[in-house]
Every structure is written in structure tokens, then in C-alpha cells.
């Protein structure tokens, strides 16, 4: 039963985190500019009472997603699983060690927070890129393979854009670029979470069926089992 709760936690947590961040910025201080300020800078200036817990929730939800995918024997073994774990733990740690406001000057907390954020941003595009080929060979995940491929491409381009903006671009519109990158990365997680929810709770409990029949049995045999 615990395994069947993983996709529910993942979907619910991702949705809650996204709504919380959007509401916090839409209803936040009007003097703060989300186009030029990163989410961390925005949270530091606005108090971080909503955004930081939302990032922690997103990290926990991502861990639940990873656990759920492993429970149904999704093809995430190896580096994809490690990268998803890095994303999750980096988000949780970044929420625990938030960046300080601009007027506070350079602090070790801000440096650690930036390193954790960088690790998180790199992890999802790298994991998604490796998962595309694996999903294409897995009947259960093939329906989302193409969508994950496009999102992986978009997040890769976003990662290149934010790298340029942060270094030679001198931070121009870095807030906008970061939010677009984060949107594509959360979209990757959302697609995985929704498919996991379908596999676990859909009309045909395919996740349970595969577990019972064994992960190495061909999908045609599983389909025959359903018919019989």
C-alpha cells in the first residue's frame, strides 16, 4: 500500500509547490522584480516564508517520485536515479540553507545555496536526456518518451541560456530565464509523476501486474495475461 502512495505524494507535492511559488510571487512585494531577481533572491527579499518551504516540498515530492518509479521497476537505475536524488536533496538542502538578502553582503550561506541550486538545475536535464532512450524501449513509459524528449531539449537550452546570462550576460533577465528553466524541469517531473500515477492507479493496474509477473517478462505476455 505504501508503494501506491508514492505517486499520490509526488503529484500532490509537485502541484502544491508550484501553486505556492506562483501565488507567493504574484501576491508578493510589488517592488520586487521577478524578471531580474532569481527565485532565491526574491525569497530572501520577501522573507521566504512560502517559497523556501515550497522548494523543500518539491524536493520531498521528487524523492517520492523516484521511490515510486523504482517500486514499479521503471528504467531509472544508474545515473538517472542518482541525478534525480541529487535534484531532490539539493532542493531540500537549499531550503534549509537559504540565500541572504542583497543588503547582507556575501555570506557562506549564499555561496552554499548557489552551489546547491546549480547542482539541482543541472541534474534534471541530464537525467531526462538519459531517460528518453530507456522510455522508448519500455512499453509502460513509451507514451511519455517523446514528451520527455522535448522537455529535456527545452531544459537543456534553458540551462545553456542561464549559464550565458549568469556569466557573460551579467545577470540580465536572469530571473526570467531561471523561472523558464525551472518550469521545464518541473514539467519533466510532472510528466513522470502523472504517468506513474496512471501505472499505479489506472483502470489496468499495470504496475502491480508487472510486479507480479516479473520485470523481465515481455509486455505481450503481460497483455495475454490480462486477456485471460
Amino acid at each position: 500500500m505504501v508503494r501506491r502512495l508514492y505517486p499520490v505524494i509526488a503529484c500532490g507535492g509537485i502541484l502544491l509547490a508550484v501553486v505556492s511559488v506562483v501565488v507567493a510571487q504574484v501576491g508578493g512585494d510589488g517592488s520586487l522584480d521577478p524578471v531580474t531577481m532569481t527565485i532565491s533572491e526574491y525569497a530572501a527579499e520577501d522573507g521566504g516564508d512560502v517559497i523556501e518551504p515550497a522548494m523543500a516540498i518539491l524536493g520531498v515530492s521528487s524523492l517520492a517520485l523516484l521511490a515510486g518509479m523504482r517500486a514499479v521497476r521503471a528504467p531509472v537505475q544508474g545515473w538517472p536515479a542518482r541525478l534525480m536524488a541529487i535534484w531532490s536533496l539539493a532542493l531540500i538542502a537549499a531550503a534549509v540553507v537559504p540565500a541572504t538578502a542583497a543588503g547582507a553582503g556575501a555570506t557562506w550561506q549564499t555561496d552554499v545555496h548557489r552551489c546547491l541550486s546549480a547542482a539541482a538545475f543541472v541534474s534534471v536535464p541530464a537525467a531526462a536526456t538519459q531517460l528518453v532512450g530507456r522510455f522508448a524501449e519500455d512499453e509502460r513509459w513509451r507514451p511519455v518518451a517523446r514528451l520527455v524528449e522535448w522537455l529535456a531539449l527545452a531544459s537543456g537550452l534553458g540551462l545553456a541560456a542561464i549559464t550565458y546570462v549568469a556569466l557573460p550576460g551579467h545577470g540580465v533577465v536572469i530571473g526570467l530565464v531561471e523561472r523558464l528553466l525551472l518550469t521545464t524541469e518541473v514539467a519533466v517531473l510532472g510528466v513522470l509523476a502523472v504517468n506513474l500515477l496512471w501505472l499505479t492507479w489506472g483502470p489496468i493496474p499495470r504496475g502491480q501486474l508487472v510486479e507480479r509477473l516479473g520485470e523481465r517478462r515481455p509486455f505481450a505476455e503481460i497483455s495475454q495475461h490480462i486477456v485471460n
Side-chain angles (χ1 to χ4, degrees):
M1 183 61 186
V2 175
R3 292 182 178 183
R4 302 193 73 188
L5 292 178
Y6 286 142
V8 177
I9 296 172
C11 290
I14 291 171
L15 180 61
L16 176 61
V18 170
V19 172
S20 298
V21 171
V22 171
V23 170
Q25 294 185 76
V26 171
D29 190 343
S31 64
L32 302 180
D33 186 6
V35 174
T36 59
M37 299 178 68
T38 66
I39 295 176
S40 299
E41 292 170 343
Y42 192 99
E45 295 290 342
D46 199 39
D49 295 335
V50 176
I51 295 179
E52 288 164 4
M55 291 297 102
I57 291 172
L58 182 58
V60 173
S61 303
S62 301
L63 283 178
L65 172 61
L66 177 58
M69 293 181 72
R70 292 175 68 92
V72 299
R73 298 184 177 91
V76 295
Q77 65 277 5
W79 274 108
R82 296 188 190 103
L83 290 167
M84 291 179 66
I86 290 173
W87 155 270
S88 304
L89 297 175
L91 283 181
I92 296 171
V96 175
V97 186
T100 55
T107 63
W108 68 268
Q109 291 98 327
T110 299
D111 293 336
V112 171
H113 184 89
R114 287 174 179 171
C115 291
L116 293 169
S117 298
F121 282 136
V122 171
S123 298
V124 172
T129 301
Q130 295 185 49
L131 288 174
V132 170
R134 300 186 184 192
F135 284 172
E137 298 175 355
D138 191 312
E139 290 286 350
R140 301 167 301 160
W141 295 87
R142 188 175 298 163
V144 300
R146 181 56 61 88
L147 181 54
V148 171
E149 181 179 11
W150 282 107
L151 290 173
L153 177 60
S155 59
L157 292 175
L159 187 61
I162 198 171
T163 302
Y164 174 81
V165 169
L167 297 177
H170 304 291
V172 177
V173 300
I174 190 171
L176 176 61
V177 175
E178 184 191 67
R179 284 163 176 79
L180 291 175
L181 172 59
L182 184 60
T183 298
T184 59
E185 295 187 341
V186 173
V188 171
L189 300 174
V191 169
L192 300 182
V194 170
N195 195 63
L196 177 63
L197 185 68
W198 173 256
L199 291 174
T200 307
W201 293 92
I204 301 176
R206 291 176 289 173
Q208 290 184 6
L209 186 57
V210 169
E211 182 178 353
R212 292 175 184 174
L213 295 180
E215 63 176 317
R216 297 188 181 278
R217 299 195 45 193
F219 188 78
E221 185 176 349
I222 296 175
S223 301
Q224 185 64 34
H225 181 85
I226 296 174
V227 173
N228 294 337

